[in-house]
Amino acid sequence: MPPDERRALTAEDVAEMLHVSRSGVYGLIKNGDIGHYKVGRKIRFTEAHVREYVERSGTTARAAMRNGPSALDEDRYFDLSPERRNANGFVICGQDLILDILSNFMRMHGVMALRAYIGSYDSLVSLYLDKVSAATAHLWDSSTDDYNAPYVRALVPGVRCLIVNVTYRMQGFYVAKGNPKGIRSWRDLSRDDITMINREKGAGSRVLLDENLGLLGLYGSKIKGYDNENQSHLTVASAVGRGDADVAVGNEKIARQVENVDFIPLKKERYDIVIKKEQLETAEIATMLKILRSDRFRNEFENIGGYDIRDIGKIVAET
């Protein structure tokens, strides 16, 4: 049952509380950063949802959201044409909360950093096409047991790139509380009594799933719910929590935000930001790297669960 509708908060209420636009609130939902529920077709929030988001965001991030221009204006971050990029400035691709806070820090340092909430595969393609300035990825290659570098070589061919670590995150299964169906391994997804909900093609979680299915000789077409796609960790986790699906693949941080969901850890992933090497000395990239490597930025995430930031700002590969 949803919370009492008389105590429900609307998107307008939350926008006012967080000092962002209403489209900014929808950006947080899409990115999986704020909990919510639905009453029919209407999105509603509880005070606990807002409080949990604020606590995760950190003091500096909250101040930046109050004082700076919103990075969550949907009218601006989905138009990735070169002309729009030139008009708007520096664009960071990716869906994690850490990138929202990074863009806030950059604006505090005079760089108009905007956000594009698209998945890993499309982020790298957008970098190759000069539609964005920095792309994030968490794409696992089963043949090398490596993250991101093989995909950068394939999707950004002939371009010298630097791969800079942002964080390590645990990927695994979202299952119903108590894991009543005993889902433990990738092979379990092929069972007749299991229905999954999937991420969209090109998402890091989807690539991890498909790579492991390939190793087992399994086809997605044989798995119930495989074609039921959604574009956020939060939505697939919520579907499992409601009982609409038995399992989904996603990161551990989101599992902590959704009621009636347990997390089965499977693999620690490396989440990186990719930049073109020739742009390393530009003011925008230099500012971004300086922020990533600063103690002040690191301190924002020391007490937030689900992040391993031991290598944040470190160049981990080059293509």
Side-chain angles (χ1 to χ4, degrees):
M1 294 290 293
D4 188 340
E5 177 67 7
R6 291 170 298 179
R7 297 195 297 270
L9 299 172
T10 66
E12 289 81 2
D13 294 330
V14 175
E16 183 176 354
M17 294 168 70
L18 296 179
H19 299 275
V20 298
S21 65
R22 186 173 68 171
S23 62
V25 175
Y26 293 131
L28 293 174
I29 294 171
K30 182 178 180 65
N31 195 31
D33 290 324
I34 190 168
H36 67 284
Y37 64 96
K38 287 188 175 181
V39 178
R41 296 174 59 87
K42 298 178 180 178
I43 294 175
R44 293 291 183 264
F45 309 82
T46 66
E47 290 185 1
H49 287 144
V50 179
R51 185 166 57 250
E52 288 168 1
Y53 168 73
V54 171
E55 290 172 353
R56 290 194 309 273
S57 297
T59 302
T60 306
R62 293 196 299 269
M65 290 175 67
R66 288 194 296 269
N67 299 327
S70 175
L72 298 171
D73 186 341
E74 286 184 312
D75 292 335
R76 300 170 74 182
Y77 59 59
F78 285 115
D79 184 352
L80 298 180
S81 65
E83 295 79 10
R84 192 63 184 264
R85 176 193 162 188
N86 291 336
N88 285 336
F90 192 86
V91 181
I92 303 174
C93 257
Q95 299 182 340
D96 197 277
L97 168 67
I98 203 168
L99 304 176
D100 295 331
I101 298 179
L102 174 61
S103 66
N104 286 330
F105 267 73
M106 292 184 70
R107 287 196 301 279
M108 292 168 65
H109 285 77
V111 177
M112 180 51 67
L114 302 176
R115 297 280 288 107
Y117 289 88
I118 58 179
S120 297
Y121 187 99
D122 289 338
S123 291
L124 292 177
V125 172
S126 295
L127 182 68
Y128 180 62
L129 296 176
D130 293 318
K131 293 181 177 180
V132 302
S133 316
T136 55
H138 56 119
L139 297 168
W140 181 61
D141 176 53
S142 61
S143 63
T144 60
D145 193 22
D146 189 16
Y147 268 92
N148 301 325
Y151 292 91
V152 175
R153 293 188 186 99
L155 298 176
V156 196
V159 179
R160 298 178 66 186
C161 291
L162 298 177
I163 301 174
V164 180
N165 182 246
V166 176
T167 188
Y168 297 90
R169 307 181 303 190
M170 185 60 70
Q171 282 274 345
F173 292 148
Y174 302 137
V175 298
K177 201 74 173 177
N179 195 9
K181 294 200 172 180
I183 302 169
R184 296 290 177 186
S185 70
W186 298 104
R187 191 172 291 279
D188 286 332
L189 301 185
S190 64
R191 287 164 36 189
D192 291 339
D193 65 326
I194 301 297
T195 299
M196 72 170 299
I197 183 170
N198 209 350
R199 290 295 307 280
E200 79 279 10
K201 291 180 176 68
S205 300
R206 172 66 171 266
V207 171
L208 180 65
L209 166 68
D210 289 341
E211 289 282 276
N212 278 281
L213 293 181
L215 291 174
L216 294 172
L218 299 174
Y219 293 98
S221 59
K222 303 299 182 183
I223 296 174
K224 292 172 63 177
Y226 179 86
D227 293 328
N228 184 9
E229 299 179 358
N230 200 279
Q231 293 189 333
S232 83
H233 289 289
L234 183 60
T235 304
V236 296
S238 297
V240 173
R242 293 192 305 269
D244 294 340
D246 299 310
V247 63
V249 181
N251 69 58
E252 182 178 14
K253 178 172 67 74
I254 297 300
R256 302 180 183 189
Q257 303 174 29
V258 181
E259 294 182 358
N260 302 318
V261 168
D262 281 344
F263 182 74
I264 309 298
L266 293 174
K267 188 173 185 63
K268 178 164 279 193
E269 67 176 7
R270 200 181 74 218
Y271 190 65
D272 298 325
I273 195 162
V274 183
I275 57 176
K276 294 180 178 179
K277 188 174 182 179
E278 67 177 348
Q279 297 175 355
L280 180 61
E281 303 301 325
T282 63
E284 294 85 356
I285 294 294
T287 298
M288 183 183 73
L289 294 179
K290 182 178 180 180
I291 291 169
L292 283 172
R293 295 164 179 168
S294 69
D295 290 339
R296 186 180 178 191
F297 188 75
R298 178 185 293 269
N299 289 340
E300 288 288 322
F301 302 94
E302 290 290 354
N303 297 315
I304 298 180
Y307 290 115
D308 176 350
I309 56 172
R310 65 182 184 271
D311 289 334
I312 189 170
K314 178 181 177 181
I315 297 174
V316 294
E318 184 172 346
T319 64

